[in-house]
Short mmCIF file of all heavy atoms in Angstrom, two decimals:
data_model
loop_
_atom_site.label_atom_id
_atom_site.label_comp_id
_atom_site.label_asym_id
_atom_site.label_seq_id
_atom_site.Cartn_x
_atom_site.Cartn_y
_atom_site.Cartn_z
N MET A 20 -28.95 53.15 25.16
CA MET A 20 -29.42 54.40 24.61
C MET A 20 -30.81 54.18 23.98
O MET A 20 -31.02 53.20 23.29
CB MET A 20 -28.47 54.92 23.53
CG MET A 20 -27.16 55.43 24.08
SD MET A 20 -26.13 56.42 22.96
CE MET A 20 -26.04 55.46 21.50
N PRO A 21 -31.69 55.11 24.19
CA PRO A 21 -33.05 54.97 23.65
C PRO A 21 -33.17 55.50 22.22
O PRO A 21 -32.28 56.15 21.69
CB PRO A 21 -33.88 55.84 24.61
CG PRO A 21 -32.92 56.87 25.07
CD PRO A 21 -31.58 56.20 25.14
N TYR A 22 -34.31 55.24 21.63
CA TYR A 22 -34.67 55.78 20.32
C TYR A 22 -35.61 56.95 20.55
O TYR A 22 -36.51 56.88 21.39
CB TYR A 22 -35.37 54.72 19.47
CG TYR A 22 -34.44 53.67 18.94
CD1 TYR A 22 -34.10 52.57 19.71
CD2 TYR A 22 -33.89 53.78 17.68
CE1 TYR A 22 -33.24 51.60 19.23
CE2 TYR A 22 -33.03 52.81 17.18
CZ TYR A 22 -32.72 51.73 17.97
OH TYR A 22 -31.86 50.78 17.49
N TYR A 23 -35.42 58.01 19.79
CA TYR A 23 -36.26 59.20 19.90
C TYR A 23 -37.05 59.35 18.60
O TYR A 23 -36.53 59.13 17.51
CB TYR A 23 -35.40 60.44 20.14
CG TYR A 23 -34.72 60.40 21.48
CD1 TYR A 23 -33.46 59.86 21.62
CD2 TYR A 23 -35.36 60.88 22.62
CE1 TYR A 23 -32.83 59.80 22.85
CE2 TYR A 23 -34.75 60.83 23.86
CZ TYR A 23 -33.49 60.29 23.97
OH TYR A 23 -32.88 60.23 25.19
N VAL A 24 -38.31 59.74 18.72
CA VAL A 24 -39.19 59.90 17.58
C VAL A 24 -39.52 61.39 17.45
O VAL A 24 -39.90 62.03 18.43
CB VAL A 24 -40.47 59.06 17.74
CG1 VAL A 24 -41.39 59.23 16.54
CG2 VAL A 24 -40.12 57.59 17.95
N PHE A 25 -39.35 61.90 16.22
CA PHE A 25 -39.56 63.32 15.95
C PHE A 25 -40.45 63.49 14.73
O PHE A 25 -40.51 62.62 13.87
CB PHE A 25 -38.22 64.02 15.63
CG PHE A 25 -37.34 64.22 16.82
CD1 PHE A 25 -36.47 63.22 17.23
CD2 PHE A 25 -37.35 65.41 17.51
CE1 PHE A 25 -35.63 63.41 18.31
CE2 PHE A 25 -36.51 65.61 18.59
CZ PHE A 25 -35.66 64.60 19.00
N ARG A 26 -41.09 64.66 14.64
CA ARG A 26 -41.82 65.08 13.45
C ARG A 26 -40.95 66.14 12.78
O ARG A 26 -40.53 67.10 13.42
CB ARG A 26 -43.17 65.68 13.80
CG ARG A 26 -43.92 66.21 12.58
CD ARG A 26 -45.23 66.92 12.91
NE ARG A 26 -46.18 65.96 13.46
CZ ARG A 26 -46.71 66.05 14.69
NH1 ARG A 26 -46.38 67.05 15.48
NH2 ARG A 26 -47.57 65.15 15.11
N LEU A 27 -40.70 65.97 11.49
CA LEU A 27 -39.94 66.95 10.72
C LEU A 27 -40.88 67.73 9.83
O LEU A 27 -41.93 67.23 9.44
CB LEU A 27 -38.89 66.26 9.85
CG LEU A 27 -37.87 65.40 10.58
CD1 LEU A 27 -36.91 64.78 9.58
CD2 LEU A 27 -37.11 66.20 11.60
N GLY A 28 -40.50 68.94 9.50
CA GLY A 28 -41.30 69.74 8.59
C GLY A 28 -42.20 70.72 9.32
O GLY A 28 -43.05 71.35 8.69
N GLY A 29 -42.02 70.88 10.58
CA GLY A 29 -42.83 71.82 11.34
C GLY A 29 -42.29 73.23 11.25
O GLY A 29 -41.81 73.66 10.20
N LEU A 30 -42.31 73.93 12.32
CA LEU A 30 -41.86 75.31 12.40
C LEU A 30 -40.41 75.43 11.96
O LEU A 30 -39.51 74.87 12.59
CB LEU A 30 -42.03 75.83 13.84
CG LEU A 30 -41.56 77.25 14.11
CD1 LEU A 30 -42.44 78.22 13.34
CD2 LEU A 30 -41.61 77.54 15.58
N ALA A 31 -40.18 76.12 10.87
CA ALA A 31 -38.84 76.39 10.33
C ALA A 31 -38.04 75.11 10.08
O ALA A 31 -36.83 75.12 10.06
CB ALA A 31 -38.07 77.31 11.28
N GLY A 32 -38.72 73.99 9.91
CA GLY A 32 -38.04 72.74 9.60
C GLY A 32 -37.32 72.10 10.77
O GLY A 32 -36.58 71.15 10.59
N LEU A 33 -37.55 72.62 11.97
CA LEU A 33 -36.89 72.06 13.14
C LEU A 33 -37.59 70.77 13.58
O LEU A 33 -38.81 70.67 13.51
CB LEU A 33 -36.90 73.07 14.30
CG LEU A 33 -36.14 74.36 14.05
CD1 LEU A 33 -36.35 75.32 15.20
CD2 LEU A 33 -34.66 74.08 13.84
N PRO A 34 -36.83 69.79 14.07
CA PRO A 34 -37.44 68.55 14.55
C PRO A 34 -38.28 68.81 15.80
O PRO A 34 -37.86 69.52 16.71
CB PRO A 34 -36.26 67.65 14.88
CG PRO A 34 -35.05 68.32 14.34
CD PRO A 34 -35.39 69.75 14.11
N GLU A 35 -39.48 68.24 15.84
CA GLU A 35 -40.38 68.37 16.98
C GLU A 35 -40.42 67.02 17.72
O GLU A 35 -40.84 66.02 17.16
CB GLU A 35 -41.78 68.74 16.52
CG GLU A 35 -42.80 68.80 17.62
CD GLU A 35 -44.22 68.96 17.08
OE1 GLU A 35 -44.40 69.24 15.89
OE2 GLU A 35 -45.15 68.77 17.89
N TYR A 36 -39.98 67.02 18.97
CA TYR A 36 -39.94 65.79 19.78
C TYR A 36 -41.35 65.28 20.00
O TYR A 36 -42.25 66.01 20.40
CB TYR A 36 -39.25 66.08 21.11
CG TYR A 36 -39.31 64.93 22.08
CD1 TYR A 36 -38.45 63.86 21.95
CD2 TYR A 36 -40.22 64.93 23.12
CE1 TYR A 36 -38.49 62.80 22.85
CE2 TYR A 36 -40.29 63.88 24.01
CZ TYR A 36 -39.42 62.82 23.87
OH TYR A 36 -39.47 61.77 24.75
N LEU A 37 -41.54 63.97 19.73
CA LEU A 37 -42.84 63.35 19.95
C LEU A 37 -42.81 62.30 21.06
O LEU A 37 -43.71 62.24 21.88
CB LEU A 37 -43.34 62.68 18.66
CG LEU A 37 -43.59 63.60 17.48
CD1 LEU A 37 -43.96 62.79 16.26
CD2 LEU A 37 -44.66 64.62 17.81
N ALA A 38 -41.78 61.44 21.05
CA ALA A 38 -41.76 60.34 22.01
C ALA A 38 -40.36 59.74 22.11
O ALA A 38 -39.47 60.04 21.33
CB ALA A 38 -42.76 59.28 21.59
N GLU A 39 -40.23 58.84 23.08
CA GLU A 39 -38.99 58.10 23.33
C GLU A 39 -39.37 56.64 23.54
O GLU A 39 -40.39 56.34 24.14
CB GLU A 39 -38.33 58.66 24.59
CG GLU A 39 -37.07 57.97 24.99
CD GLU A 39 -36.48 58.57 26.26
OE1 GLU A 39 -36.67 59.78 26.51
OE2 GLU A 39 -35.84 57.82 27.01
N ALA A 40 -38.53 55.75 23.01
CA ALA A 40 -38.78 54.32 23.15
C ALA A 40 -37.48 53.62 23.56
O ALA A 40 -36.41 53.99 23.09
CB ALA A 40 -39.30 53.73 21.86
N PRO A 41 -37.58 52.60 24.41
CA PRO A 41 -36.36 51.93 24.90
C PRO A 41 -35.68 51.04 23.87
O PRO A 41 -34.47 50.81 23.95
CB PRO A 41 -36.85 51.11 26.08
CG PRO A 41 -38.29 50.87 25.81
CD PRO A 41 -38.78 52.08 25.05
N GLY A 42 -36.44 50.53 22.90
CA GLY A 42 -35.86 49.61 21.92
C GLY A 42 -36.36 49.90 20.52
O GLY A 42 -37.32 50.64 20.30
N TYR A 43 -35.69 49.28 19.54
CA TYR A 43 -36.01 49.51 18.13
C TYR A 43 -37.44 49.10 17.79
O TYR A 43 -38.16 49.84 17.14
CB TYR A 43 -35.02 48.75 17.24
CG TYR A 43 -35.33 48.88 15.77
CD1 TYR A 43 -34.97 50.02 15.08
CD2 TYR A 43 -36.00 47.87 15.10
CE1 TYR A 43 -35.27 50.16 13.74
CE2 TYR A 43 -36.29 48.00 13.76
CZ TYR A 43 -35.92 49.14 13.08
OH TYR A 43 -36.23 49.27 11.75
N ARG A 44 -37.84 47.91 18.23
CA ARG A 44 -39.20 47.43 17.90
C ARG A 44 -40.27 48.35 18.47
O ARG A 44 -41.28 48.63 17.81
CB ARG A 44 -39.40 46.02 18.41
CG ARG A 44 -38.61 45.00 17.65
CD ARG A 44 -38.81 43.62 18.23
NE ARG A 44 -37.85 42.70 17.68
CZ ARG A 44 -38.18 41.61 17.00
NH1 ARG A 44 -39.44 41.31 16.82
NH2 ARG A 44 -37.25 40.83 16.52
N ASP A 45 -40.07 48.82 19.69
CA ASP A 45 -41.02 49.75 20.31
C ASP A 45 -41.09 51.06 19.52
O ASP A 45 -42.17 51.59 19.28
CB ASP A 45 -40.64 50.03 21.75
CG ASP A 45 -40.69 48.80 22.62
OD1 ASP A 45 -41.50 47.90 22.33
OD2 ASP A 45 -39.91 48.74 23.60
N ALA A 46 -39.92 51.56 19.15
CA ALA A 46 -39.85 52.83 18.40
C ALA A 46 -40.51 52.69 17.04
O ALA A 46 -41.23 53.58 16.59
CB ALA A 46 -38.41 53.29 18.26
N LYS A 47 -40.27 51.58 16.37
CA LYS A 47 -40.84 51.36 15.03
C LYS A 47 -42.37 51.27 15.11
O LYS A 47 -43.08 51.84 14.28
CB LYS A 47 -40.26 50.11 14.41
CG LYS A 47 -40.67 49.93 12.98
CD LYS A 47 -39.80 48.95 12.27
CE LYS A 47 -40.25 48.87 10.83
NZ LYS A 47 -39.19 48.62 9.93
N ALA A 48 -42.89 50.56 16.10
CA ALA A 48 -44.33 50.44 16.27
C ALA A 48 -44.95 51.81 16.57
O ALA A 48 -46.00 52.17 16.03
CB ALA A 48 -44.66 49.45 17.37
N LEU A 49 -44.29 52.57 17.43
CA LEU A 49 -44.77 53.90 17.78
C LEU A 49 -44.74 54.81 16.55
O LEU A 49 -45.69 55.57 16.30
CB LEU A 49 -43.90 54.49 18.89
CG LEU A 49 -44.22 55.88 19.36
CD1 LEU A 49 -45.63 55.95 19.93
CD2 LEU A 49 -43.21 56.32 20.40
N MET A 50 -43.69 54.72 15.76
CA MET A 50 -43.56 55.54 14.57
C MET A 50 -44.68 55.21 13.56
O MET A 50 -45.28 56.11 12.98
CB MET A 50 -42.19 55.29 13.95
CG MET A 50 -41.75 56.36 13.00
SD MET A 50 -40.03 56.18 12.50
CE MET A 50 -40.07 54.61 11.68
N ARG A 51 -44.97 53.94 13.38
CA ARG A 51 -46.06 53.54 12.47
C ARG A 51 -47.40 54.11 12.93
O ARG A 51 -48.20 54.60 12.15
CB ARG A 51 -46.14 52.03 12.38
CG ARG A 51 -45.10 51.43 11.50
CD ARG A 51 -45.30 49.94 11.38
NE ARG A 51 -44.25 49.36 10.55
CZ ARG A 51 -43.82 48.13 10.66
NH1 ARG A 51 -44.35 47.32 11.55
NH2 ARG A 51 -42.87 47.69 9.88
N GLU A 52 -47.64 53.99 14.23
CA GLU A 52 -48.90 54.51 14.80
C GLU A 52 -49.01 56.02 14.58
O GLU A 52 -50.07 56.52 14.19
CB GLU A 52 -48.95 54.18 16.29
CG GLU A 52 -50.19 54.68 16.98
CD GLU A 52 -50.16 54.39 18.47
OE1 GLU A 52 -49.60 53.35 18.87
OE2 GLU A 52 -50.69 55.22 19.22
N LEU A 53 -47.92 56.73 14.83
CA LEU A 53 -47.93 58.19 14.65
C LEU A 53 -48.10 58.58 13.19
O LEU A 53 -48.78 59.55 12.88
CB LEU A 53 -46.65 58.80 15.22
CG LEU A 53 -46.52 58.75 16.74
CD1 LEU A 53 -45.12 59.14 17.18
CD2 LEU A 53 -47.56 59.64 17.40
N ARG A 54 -47.51 57.83 12.29
CA ARG A 54 -47.65 58.11 10.85
C ARG A 54 -49.09 57.91 10.40
O ARG A 54 -49.59 58.66 9.56
CB ARG A 54 -46.72 57.22 10.04
CG ARG A 54 -45.28 57.68 10.07
CD ARG A 54 -44.39 56.75 9.29
NE ARG A 54 -43.02 57.25 9.27
CZ ARG A 54 -41.98 56.54 8.91
NH1 ARG A 54 -42.14 55.27 8.52
NH2 ARG A 54 -40.78 57.06 8.92
N GLU A 55 -49.78 56.91 10.95
CA GLU A 55 -51.18 56.67 10.59
C GLU A 55 -52.08 57.80 11.06
O GLU A 55 -53.06 58.14 10.39
CB GLU A 55 -51.65 55.35 11.17
CG GLU A 55 -51.07 54.14 10.49
CD GLU A 55 -51.46 52.84 11.17
OE1 GLU A 55 -52.26 52.86 12.13
OE2 GLU A 55 -50.97 51.78 10.73
N ARG A 56 -51.75 58.39 12.21
CA ARG A 56 -52.57 59.46 12.78
C ARG A 56 -52.20 60.84 12.25
O ARG A 56 -52.91 61.80 12.51
CB ARG A 56 -52.45 59.47 14.30
CG ARG A 56 -53.10 58.27 14.95
CD ARG A 56 -53.19 58.45 16.43
NE ARG A 56 -51.87 58.26 17.04
CZ ARG A 56 -51.53 58.69 18.24
NH1 ARG A 56 -52.39 59.32 18.98
NH2 ARG A 56 -50.32 58.47 18.72
N GLU A 57 -51.09 60.96 11.52
CA GLU A 57 -50.60 62.26 11.05
C GLU A 57 -51.59 62.88 10.07
O GLU A 57 -52.00 62.25 9.10
CB GLU A 57 -49.24 62.10 10.38
CG GLU A 57 -48.61 63.38 9.92
CD GLU A 57 -48.33 64.35 11.05
OE1 GLU A 57 -47.84 63.93 12.10
OE2 GLU A 57 -48.63 65.54 10.87
N SER A 58 -51.95 64.13 10.30
CA SER A 58 -52.90 64.83 9.43
C SER A 58 -52.20 65.64 8.34
O SER A 58 -52.79 65.92 7.31
CB SER A 58 -53.78 65.76 10.26
OG SER A 58 -52.98 66.71 10.92
N ASP A 59 -50.94 66.00 8.56
CA ASP A 59 -50.18 66.78 7.58
C ASP A 59 -49.36 65.85 6.70
O ASP A 59 -48.40 65.24 7.16
CB ASP A 59 -49.26 67.76 8.32
CG ASP A 59 -48.46 68.64 7.38
OD1 ASP A 59 -48.73 68.62 6.16
OD2 ASP A 59 -47.56 69.35 7.86
N PRO A 60 -49.70 65.73 5.41
CA PRO A 60 -48.97 64.80 4.54
C PRO A 60 -47.53 65.23 4.27
O PRO A 60 -46.70 64.42 3.89
CB PRO A 60 -49.80 64.80 3.25
CG PRO A 60 -50.57 66.05 3.28
CD PRO A 60 -50.79 66.40 4.72
N ALA A 61 -47.21 66.51 4.47
CA ALA A 61 -45.85 67.00 4.23
C ALA A 61 -44.92 66.69 5.40
O ALA A 61 -43.70 66.70 5.25
CB ALA A 61 -45.87 68.49 3.97
N ALA A 62 -45.47 66.42 6.56
CA ALA A 62 -44.64 66.14 7.74
C ALA A 62 -44.09 64.72 7.66
O ALA A 62 -44.73 63.80 7.17
CB ALA A 62 -45.46 66.31 9.01
N GLN A 63 -42.87 64.56 8.15
CA GLN A 63 -42.23 63.25 8.21
C GLN A 63 -42.06 62.86 9.66
O GLN A 63 -41.66 63.67 10.49
CB GLN A 63 -40.87 63.28 7.55
CG GLN A 63 -40.88 63.55 6.08
CD GLN A 63 -39.46 63.56 5.53
OE1 GLN A 63 -38.49 63.57 6.27
NE2 GLN A 63 -39.35 63.56 4.22
N ILE A 64 -42.33 61.61 9.98
CA ILE A 64 -42.08 61.07 11.31
C ILE A 64 -40.82 60.23 11.20
O ILE A 64 -40.75 59.30 10.41
CB ILE A 64 -43.25 60.20 11.82
CG1 ILE A 64 -44.57 60.95 11.72
CG2 ILE A 64 -42.99 59.71 13.22
CD1 ILE A 64 -44.69 62.15 12.62
N ARG A 65 -39.80 60.58 11.99
CA ARG A 65 -38.51 59.89 11.92
C ARG A 65 -38.08 59.47 13.31
O ARG A 65 -38.47 60.07 14.31
CB ARG A 65 -37.43 60.84 11.36
CG ARG A 65 -37.74 61.48 10.04
CD ARG A 65 -37.53 60.59 8.85
NE ARG A 65 -36.21 60.09 8.72
CZ ARG A 65 -35.22 60.68 8.04
NH1 ARG A 65 -35.44 61.83 7.45
NH2 ARG A 65 -34.05 60.11 7.96
N MET A 66 -37.24 58.42 13.38
CA MET A 66 -36.66 58.01 14.65
C MET A 66 -35.15 58.04 14.53
O MET A 66 -34.59 57.91 13.44
CB MET A 66 -37.14 56.63 15.07
CG MET A 66 -36.58 55.50 14.30
SD MET A 66 -37.12 53.95 15.05
CE MET A 66 -36.83 52.85 13.69
N VAL A 67 -34.50 58.23 15.67
CA VAL A 67 -33.05 58.29 15.70
C VAL A 67 -32.56 57.70 17.02
O VAL A 67 -33.20 57.84 18.05
CB VAL A 67 -32.55 59.74 15.49
CG1 VAL A 67 -32.98 60.65 16.60
CG2 VAL A 67 -31.05 59.79 15.30
N PHE A 68 -31.43 57.02 16.95
CA PHE A 68 -30.79 56.39 18.11
C PHE A 68 -29.74 57.37 18.62
O PHE A 68 -28.82 57.73 17.89
CB PHE A 68 -30.14 55.08 17.66
CG PHE A 68 -29.53 54.27 18.75
CD1 PHE A 68 -30.29 53.70 19.73
CD2 PHE A 68 -28.16 54.05 18.77
CE1 PHE A 68 -29.73 52.92 20.72
CE2 PHE A 68 -27.58 53.28 19.75
CZ PHE A 68 -28.36 52.72 20.73
N ALA A 69 -29.89 57.83 19.86
CA ALA A 69 -28.96 58.83 20.40
C ALA A 69 -28.90 58.74 21.92
O ALA A 69 -29.74 58.09 22.55
CB ALA A 69 -29.41 60.23 19.98
N ALA A 70 -27.90 59.39 22.47
CA ALA A 70 -27.69 59.38 23.92
C ALA A 70 -28.75 60.19 24.65
O ALA A 70 -29.14 59.85 25.77
CB ALA A 70 -26.30 59.90 24.26
N ASN A 71 -29.22 61.30 24.03
CA ASN A 71 -30.24 62.12 24.67
C ASN A 71 -31.05 62.86 23.60
O ASN A 71 -30.73 62.80 22.41
CB ASN A 71 -29.61 63.11 25.66
CG ASN A 71 -28.57 63.99 25.02
OD1 ASN A 71 -28.78 64.54 23.95
ND2 ASN A 71 -27.42 64.11 25.67
N GLU A 72 -32.09 63.54 24.03
CA GLU A 72 -33.00 64.22 23.10
C GLU A 72 -32.30 65.32 22.31
O GLU A 72 -32.57 65.51 21.12
CB GLU A 72 -34.17 64.81 23.89
CG GLU A 72 -35.21 65.49 23.05
CD GLU A 72 -36.31 66.11 23.89
OE1 GLU A 72 -36.54 65.68 25.03
OE2 GLU A 72 -36.93 67.04 23.36
N ILE A 73 -31.39 66.04 22.94
CA ILE A 73 -30.68 67.13 22.27
C ILE A 73 -29.80 66.59 21.14
O ILE A 73 -29.78 67.13 20.04
CB ILE A 73 -29.87 67.95 23.29
CG1 ILE A 73 -30.82 68.63 24.26
CG2 ILE A 73 -28.98 68.96 22.59
CD1 ILE A 73 -30.15 69.26 25.46
N GLU A 74 -29.07 65.51 21.44
CA GLU A 74 -28.22 64.90 20.41
C GLU A 74 -29.07 64.37 19.26
O GLU A 74 -28.70 64.51 18.08
CB GLU A 74 -27.39 63.77 21.00
CG GLU A 74 -26.48 63.10 19.98
CD GLU A 74 -25.73 61.91 20.54
OE1 GLU A 74 -25.76 61.67 21.77
OE2 GLU A 74 -25.11 61.20 19.74
N ALA A 75 -30.20 63.78 19.57
CA ALA A 75 -31.09 63.24 18.54
C ALA A 75 -31.60 64.35 17.63
O ALA A 75 -31.59 64.21 16.40
CB ALA A 75 -32.25 62.50 19.19
N ALA A 76 -32.05 65.45 18.20
CA ALA A 76 -32.54 66.58 17.40
C ALA A 76 -31.42 67.16 16.54
O ALA A 76 -31.64 67.51 15.38
CB ALA A 76 -33.12 67.66 18.31
N ASP A 77 -30.22 67.21 17.10
CA ASP A 77 -29.07 67.72 16.35
C ASP A 77 -28.75 66.81 15.16
O ASP A 77 -28.48 67.29 14.06
CB ASP A 77 -27.87 67.85 17.27
CG ASP A 77 -26.67 68.46 16.57
OD1 ASP A 77 -26.84 69.50 15.90
OD2 ASP A 77 -25.56 67.89 16.68
N LEU A 78 -28.79 65.51 15.37
CA LEU A 78 -28.53 64.57 14.29
C LEU A 78 -29.55 64.71 13.15
O LEU A 78 -29.19 64.65 11.97
CB LEU A 78 -28.53 63.13 14.81
CG LEU A 78 -27.34 62.72 15.66
CD1 LEU A 78 -27.60 61.37 16.32
CD2 LEU A 78 -26.08 62.69 14.84
N LEU A 79 -30.80 64.92 13.50
CA LEU A 79 -31.84 65.07 12.48
C LEU A 79 -31.75 66.41 11.76
O LEU A 79 -32.16 66.51 10.60
CB LEU A 79 -33.22 64.92 13.11
CG LEU A 79 -33.61 63.50 13.50
CD1 LEU A 79 -34.93 63.51 14.24
CD2 LEU A 79 -33.70 62.60 12.28
N ALA A 80 -31.21 67.42 12.40
CA ALA A 80 -31.12 68.75 11.80
C ALA A 80 -29.93 68.89 10.87
O ALA A 80 -29.90 69.79 10.03
CB ALA A 80 -31.05 69.82 12.89
N GLN A 81 -28.95 68.01 10.98
CA GLN A 81 -27.76 68.09 10.13
C GLN A 81 -28.08 67.62 8.72
O GLN A 81 -28.73 66.58 8.54
CB GLN A 81 -26.63 67.23 10.70
CG GLN A 81 -26.09 67.72 12.01
CD GLN A 81 -25.03 66.78 12.56
OE1 GLN A 81 -24.60 65.86 11.91
NE2 GLN A 81 -24.63 67.04 13.79
N PRO A 82 -27.60 68.35 7.71
CA PRO A 82 -27.83 67.90 6.34
C PRO A 82 -26.99 66.66 6.04
O PRO A 82 -25.85 66.54 6.50
CB PRO A 82 -27.38 69.09 5.48
CG PRO A 82 -26.49 69.89 6.36
CD PRO A 82 -26.91 69.62 7.78
N ARG A 83 -27.58 65.74 5.31
CA ARG A 83 -26.88 64.50 4.97
C ARG A 83 -26.31 64.63 3.56
O ARG A 83 -26.95 65.15 2.66
CB ARG A 83 -27.84 63.32 5.03
CG ARG A 83 -28.31 63.05 6.44
CD ARG A 83 -29.36 61.98 6.51
NE ARG A 83 -28.89 60.75 5.92
CZ ARG A 83 -29.62 59.65 5.81
NH1 ARG A 83 -30.85 59.64 6.27
NH2 ARG A 83 -29.14 58.56 5.26
N GLU A 84 -25.09 64.12 3.39
CA GLU A 84 -24.48 64.13 2.07
C GLU A 84 -25.05 62.97 1.26
O GLU A 84 -25.29 61.88 1.80
CB GLU A 84 -22.97 63.98 2.20
CG GLU A 84 -22.32 65.17 2.87
CD GLU A 84 -20.81 65.06 2.89
OE1 GLU A 84 -20.24 64.32 2.07
OE2 GLU A 84 -20.20 65.72 3.74
N PRO A 85 -25.26 63.18 -0.04
CA PRO A 85 -25.81 62.10 -0.87
C PRO A 85 -24.83 60.94 -0.98
O PRO A 85 -23.60 61.12 -0.97
CB PRO A 85 -26.04 62.75 -2.22
CG PRO A 85 -25.41 64.08 -2.18
CD PRO A 85 -25.07 64.40 -0.76
N ASP A 86 -25.37 59.75 -1.08
CA ASP A 86 -24.56 58.54 -1.22
C ASP A 86 -23.97 58.51 -2.63
O ASP A 86 -24.73 58.49 -3.61
CB ASP A 86 -25.43 57.32 -0.98
CG ASP A 86 -24.65 56.01 -0.98
OD1 ASP A 86 -23.43 56.04 -1.22
OD2 ASP A 86 -25.27 54.97 -0.73
N PRO A 87 -22.63 58.51 -2.78
CA PRO A 87 -22.03 58.54 -4.12
C PRO A 87 -22.38 57.30 -4.96
O PRO A 87 -22.36 57.36 -6.18
CB PRO A 87 -20.54 58.62 -3.86
CG PRO A 87 -20.34 58.38 -2.42
CD PRO A 87 -21.65 58.52 -1.74
N SER A 88 -22.71 56.20 -4.32
CA SER A 88 -23.05 54.99 -5.08
C SER A 88 -24.41 55.12 -5.77
O SER A 88 -24.73 54.36 -6.67
CB SER A 88 -23.03 53.77 -4.18
OG SER A 88 -24.08 53.83 -3.24
N LEU A 89 -25.21 56.09 -5.35
CA LEU A 89 -26.53 56.31 -5.96
C LEU A 89 -26.49 57.35 -7.06
O LEU A 89 -27.52 57.71 -7.62
CB LEU A 89 -27.54 56.72 -4.89
CG LEU A 89 -27.78 55.72 -3.77
CD1 LEU A 89 -28.72 56.31 -2.75
CD2 LEU A 89 -28.34 54.43 -4.32
N ASN A 90 -25.30 57.85 -7.38
CA ASN A 90 -25.14 58.87 -8.39
C ASN A 90 -25.40 58.28 -9.77
O ASN A 90 -24.89 57.23 -10.12
CB ASN A 90 -23.72 59.44 -8.31
CG ASN A 90 -23.62 60.79 -9.00
OD1 ASN A 90 -24.57 61.25 -9.60
ND2 ASN A 90 -22.46 61.40 -8.89
N ALA A 91 -26.16 58.96 -10.60
CA ALA A 91 -26.53 58.46 -11.92
C ALA A 91 -25.59 58.95 -13.00
O ALA A 91 -25.99 59.25 -14.12
CB ALA A 91 -27.97 58.87 -12.23
N ASP A 92 -24.31 59.06 -12.73
CA ASP A 92 -23.34 59.53 -13.71
C ASP A 92 -22.78 58.42 -14.59
O ASP A 92 -21.85 58.62 -15.34
CB ASP A 92 -22.16 60.22 -13.01
CG ASP A 92 -22.56 61.55 -12.41
OD1 ASP A 92 -23.60 62.09 -12.82
OD2 ASP A 92 -21.83 62.04 -11.52
N ASP A 93 -23.34 57.24 -14.50
CA ASP A 93 -22.82 56.11 -15.27
C ASP A 93 -23.01 56.28 -16.74
O ASP A 93 -23.89 56.63 -17.33
CB ASP A 93 -23.48 54.79 -14.82
CG ASP A 93 -23.10 54.47 -13.38
OD1 ASP A 93 -22.06 54.94 -12.93
OD2 ASP A 93 -23.87 53.74 -12.74
#
């Protein structure tokens, strides 16, 4: 399964497909390059490991629950 690289924070917060990479190292290098060239400081460049582009976009669009171990209720 490949890694997909997306820009977040665009139109209505939907993930915008940028690229695909066959391996983690390739995806990470591509992501760094894209982050350096990014003109919008509010946009986030993210990568995700998925079976296809649709699944990857869906994974990025789902809200994540906060990690309970990071809760400051101590």
Side-chain angles (χ1 to χ4, degrees):
M20 289 195 310
Y22 285 85
Y23 294 91
V24 180
F25 287 86
R26 176 185 294 120
L27 302 179
L30 178 67
L33 297 174
E35 176 189 348
Y36 173 79
L37 297 175
E39 178 181 331
Y43 177 79
R44 289 178 192 240
D45 297 330
K47 188 163 182 147
L49 179 61
M50 199 171 62
R51 283 184 182 152
E52 179 183 326
L53 291 169
R54 283 178 177 165
E55 288 175 4
R56 291 191 286 161
E57 183 62 44
S58 60
D59 181 9
Q63 295 180 348
I64 308 294
R65 305 282 302 270
M66 73 174 161
V67 64
F68 184 66
N71 56 47
E72 182 183 336
I73 295 170
E74 180 184 351
D77 184 48
L78 288 170
L79 287 174
Q81 293 177 9
R83 293 174 57 182
E84 293 185 22
D86 185 357
S88 67
L89 299 176
N90 199 356
D92 290 341
D93 295 336

